[in-house]
Amino acid sequence: MAKPSQKGRDSSMVNTGEENIRTGTSVASLKKAILDNLYYIQGRTPGLATKNDWYMAVAYTVRDRMLEHFIHSLKGMQDPRVKIVSYLSAEFLMGPHLGNNLLNLGITDQTRDAVKELGLELDDLLAQEEEPGLGNGGLGRLAACYMDSLASLSVPAIGYGIRYEFGIFDQEIRDGWQVEKTDKWLCLGNPWEICRPEVSYKVNFGGYTVHSLDGEGRFRVQWIPHRVARGIAYDTPVPSYRDEMVDMLRLWKSEAIESFDFQAFNVGDYYKSVDEKIISETVSKVLYPNDEPEIGKTLRLAQQYFFVSCSLQDMIRIHLSRGKGMETFHESFAVQLNDTHPSIAVAELMRLLVDEHLMGWDSAWQITQKTMAYTNHTLLPEALEKWSLPLFKRTLPRHLEIIYEINRRFLNDVRQRYPGDDGLAARLSLIDESGEKYVRMAHLASVGSHRINGVAALHSNLLTLTVLKDLYDLYPDRFVNVTNGVTPRRWIALSNPELSALISRGIGDRWIRHFEDEIRKLEPFAADAGFRAEWRKIKCKNKARLAAIIQERTGIVPNPDSLFDIQVKRIHEYKRQHLSVLNIITLYNRIKKNPGQEIIPRTFIFGGKAAPGYFMAKLIIKLINSVAEVINTDQDVAGRLAVVFFPDFNVKNAQHIYPAAELSEQISTAGMEASGTGNMKFSMNGALTIGTLDGANVEIRQEVGQENFFLFGLSAEEVHNEKVKGYRPRDYYDSNPCLREVIEQIRSGYFSRGDAELFRPLVENLLDHDPYLLLADYQPYIDCQDGVSSVYHDQERWTRMSILNVARMGKFSSDRSIREYCDTIWNIKLAKGG
Ligand code: NBG
């Protein structure tokens, strides 16, 4: 989108013969525009401007250059013939905007020059941006990658979510422990969003319902709420890669409907009236970290309902403004439920259609099912959302009635098809009545959707065999798989500019837009020694850059010639960061016993946040740091072994980490990781993977070839069988002296300054339960790591494998995923060449 055309657009800007100050993209225009924005938006002259003022001025300059296409794209959404994808997600982990928008607009170089002429460095301004951390990890980042691909494939789309005032906490490490700091991403202002106070909707909470017959004798329900909040839209443009489509991220902020409750005010209870306001404003205050017990979190349910209700009301407004009736709503919108967090949408759309738009139940139900589709992102039973009935009733009394009615009809159908099978009906019911009663959100989402998908082949398959088995037996045609993907724009072109330039020198630059087809052309270069040397040189540079950041943030000085072995992701027992720790200690012991031994030097780098309430995950962070403390200060292993915990893993940091990685650790217990998307980002940046047959690893290995992937460990089926047989971790401990030694060191306080209590819960858990089978996979993992070292010894071979990994990652572009969603779920035809 080098230069937006003026023809047929609404821009009222006068073109003075020179380039337009809002749209021009020459260095001179950009420079002028930055100064203009600095003066007229920030109210500063260059002499007084802070770095943030400059950042804001540049950001507004870039935003200006998206607006014409943004406005045009929004106008396109009014066309009654186009179907709009509505991606409902409680999380959008967009990452810093500036660099990505420059890349997609194709104005990075000019802007760098313009900024330089103003005496600034673009990299400093990029670093100034506070990233919007409105997500926990993979799920939120997936939503962001999908927005990029939707725009780049010219699909009209709105991402609907919550404008949390506080996103995911910032992580600091003190004395080896995680400390959480509030994320104040908005405190210096957010230049990317446009606040739209008139795009606002009321959202009810609590209260009771009144049933009656209307004048025509029809059954009617009125919801008398206890509290009403208002949602205000904040819109962020999401530009396509070098094309005209600019999609929209629309996030809702909650506000009180009235500043004062005058009744309370009049009787003198001034503070109660202000209280009400505070409660309404609280709804969009803070993002919940995952892996925390859900039960009892009224505010979380309120958040989910809040953004879903605003979003559906907004869609209905758009639909009606197209001059269409409600019976064709599903032709205007394809609503994708990103996990169960927005699944209340099923009941809310029913409420809006039946109660507000006076539609009959059967028609409303058909429209709802045709509109909705549900993506499941986890098999972990503790992550499947359910809400206690009393809490649900207190917050959403009308929705509970609707859910009962959906359930009544649904179970009638089940009983008709499977007469007498009460067990089946109880298992399928939207209400869990096995003990305390709960609403099962995954069942609500599944029953109300026409498609249900998992996020990798193995995961989708396991879904139909485990958590959603009964639903699958009932509705096999609803189930499909869409393997996750990530955008090659942010994750290669933006994060790894030198590698990108090398790839483009080899195969041209079409791969950035058409990754699926083009990147394979890189394969022959694996055989080119000159190309391999350049490839290695870039990896070395990226490693050196990361090493400098590590030194600055942690004080640790990594050996730049060591193998960078990296595991970055949320800290969770099933992801098994502690399995990697067992390997590290094993290597350490080997060197200590045999100091002269030749080994491949390694730097182990970890990064990731633990949920604040997840004790074991926090203890794993402490363990990593404790082991690091011993190893990094032991002269016997200096230069050969180092351990780093990189604090505050987020999108910004990730962009420095993936390009520097040589080995990607994807070592979750098979059957537990739904997909993983970090695995794709590593591989796209030339890291080789050591991994289990879990999530998308299975498909990555298929694509890159088994000879280019380090596989170890039990399969999902074997894990299942072990558990059925009665898994005994202690047997592994008893029969493996190396493993025993490692565990004893942790237990005895070798890494905790003699404190034998500190890691006791972790060690005891491993020996007595080991629910994630670390001990069973220990020896295969160690052996596989030895294999990694011996291949690394042969740098030519390693580089060949690295190039082939990148060349064969075409499938894992989020463009491919979005094509599949369009095809199999949304029924959207892509424009040719799109
Ligand atoms: C996560 C899975 C990952 C997967 C992402 C995106 C949740 C509930 N699930 O394996 O753990 O890659 O979703 O699909 O966050």
Side-chain angles (χ1 to χ4, degrees), residues 123-407:
D123 290 338
D124 288 342
L125 299 179
L126 290 168
Q128 176 67 25
E129 181 170 353
E130 215 24 88
E131 79 171 74
L134 309 187
N136 272 282
L139 177 143
R141 184 52 231 175
L142 185 77
C145 283
Y146 282 179
M147 289 306 294
D148 182 84
S149 285
L150 282 161
S152 295
L153 292 170
S154 300
V155 180
I158 305 175
Y160 282 112
I162 301 173
R163 183 179 177 274
Y164 300 105
E165 186 177 336
F166 303 111
I168 187 72
F169 63 86
D170 293 337
Q171 178 194 56
E172 285 181 10
I173 301 298
R174 277 197 222 141
D175 187 30
W177 293 99
Q178 166 175 299
V179 175
E180 299 93 21
K181 290 295 193 73
T182 15
D183 157 62
K184 302 205 183 97
W185 72 288
L186 286 170
C187 79
L188 292 178
N190 173 12
W192 303 104
E193 66 187 7
I194 298 170
C195 173
R196 306 222 182 261
E198 318 94 321
V199 181
S200 91
Y201 301 95
K202 289 184 187 174
V203 181
N204 294 347
F205 293 102
Y208 57 95
T209 61
V210 177
H211 297 190
S212 61
L213 296 179
D214 67 11
E216 289 160 50
R218 287 174 306 192
F219 180 66
R220 288 281 163 242
V221 180
Q222 213 195 338
W223 177 12
I224 314 291
H226 168 66
R227 170 174 300 119
V228 183
R230 180 186 286 287
I232 311 263
Y234 283 74
D235 296 345
T236 303
V238 180
S240 53
Y241 181 75
R242 315 261 164 117
D243 206 346
E244 303 209 341
M245 180 64 85
V246 177
D247 279 330
M248 174 164 72
L249 178 64
R250 174 162 280 179
L251 303 180
W252 303 103
K253 175 181 196 246
S254 66
E255 289 193 353
I257 200 116
E258 298 287 348
S259 298
F260 294 98
D261 174 345
F262 281 104
Q263 209 188 338
F265 189 54
N266 288 339
V267 298
D269 195 353
Y270 174 81
Y271 289 97
K272 177 172 177 284
S273 67
V274 178
D275 268 5
E276 285 292 307
K277 179 169 153 65
I278 289 170
I279 291 167
S280 300
E281 286 172 353
T282 302
V283 174
S284 61
K285 258 293 171 241
V286 59
L287 166 76
Y288 278 97
N290 52 14
D291 309 324
E292 301 256 7
E294 288 278 334
I295 318 299
K297 288 197 176 145
T298 317
L299 182 62
R300 168 101 169 148
L301 179 61
Q303 286 185 336
Q304 296 182 349
Y305 177 60
F306 164 73
F307 95 89
V308 162
S309 179
C310 289
S311 307
L312 280 169
Q313 292 183 64
D314 196 43
M315 287 178 243
I316 289 175
R317 178 189 55 83
I318 294 170
H319 175 72
L320 294 177
S321 78
R322 292 169 158 200
K324 307 224 288 191
M326 283 312 295
E327 67 290 344
T328 55
F329 182 69
H330 57 282
E331 293 171 11
S332 287
F333 285 96
V335 174
Q336 193 65 32
L337 307 175
N338 197 27
D339 216 289
T340 52
H341 317 145
S343 58
I344 190 66
V346 170
E348 173 66 355
L349 183 54
M350 285 302 287
R351 186 189 71 81
L352 290 166
L353 293 174
V354 173
D355 292 358
E356 311 260 319
H357 293 270
L358 310 185
M359 191 182 280
W361 183 278
D362 291 319
S363 317
W365 185 240
Q366 274 192 17
I367 290 165
T368 300
Q369 282 189 323
K370 283 186 197 160
T371 305
M372 303 285 165
Y374 157 53
T375 306
N376 173 289
H377 293 266
T378 185
L379 296 165
L380 297 184
E382 66 268 26
L384 288 172
E385 272 192 312
K386 50 184 193 171
W387 293 107
S388 94
L389 215 63
L391 184 155
F392 200 98
K393 185 169 181 172
R394 241 182 295 129
T395 314
L396 300 171
R398 176 58 184 143
H399 296 78
L400 189 59
E401 290 175 350
I402 290 172
I403 288 171
Y404 279 148
E405 181 60 14
I406 295 171
N407 201 32

Side-chain angles (χ1 to χ4, degrees), residues 138-139 142 290 339 341 377-378 383 455 484 574-575 672-677:
L139 177 143
L142 185 77
N290 52 14
D339 216 289
H341 317 145
H377 293 266
T378 185
V455 289
N484 283 168
Y574 86 77
K575 295 178 189 280
M672 304 270 169
E673 189 69 87
S675 162
T677 43

Side-chain angles (χ1 to χ4, degrees), residues 725-741:
K725 261 189 353 217
Y727 171 57
R728 288 158 46 112
R730 239 172 234 282
D731 292 352
Y732 292 92
Y733 169 88
D734 289 336
S735 64
N736 188 329
C738 286
L739 172 62
R740 197 158 60 235
E741 183 181 11

Side-chain angles (χ1 to χ4, degrees), residues 734-758:
D734 289 336
S735 64
N736 188 329
C738 286
L739 172 62
R740 197 158 60 235
E741 183 181 11
V742 169
I743 298 234
E744 281 318 309
Q745 284 168 306
I746 299 174
R747 193 214 297 266
S748 65
Y750 185 96
F751 298 104
S752 42
R753 305 178 188 176
D755 182 349
E757 286 305 305
L758 184 58

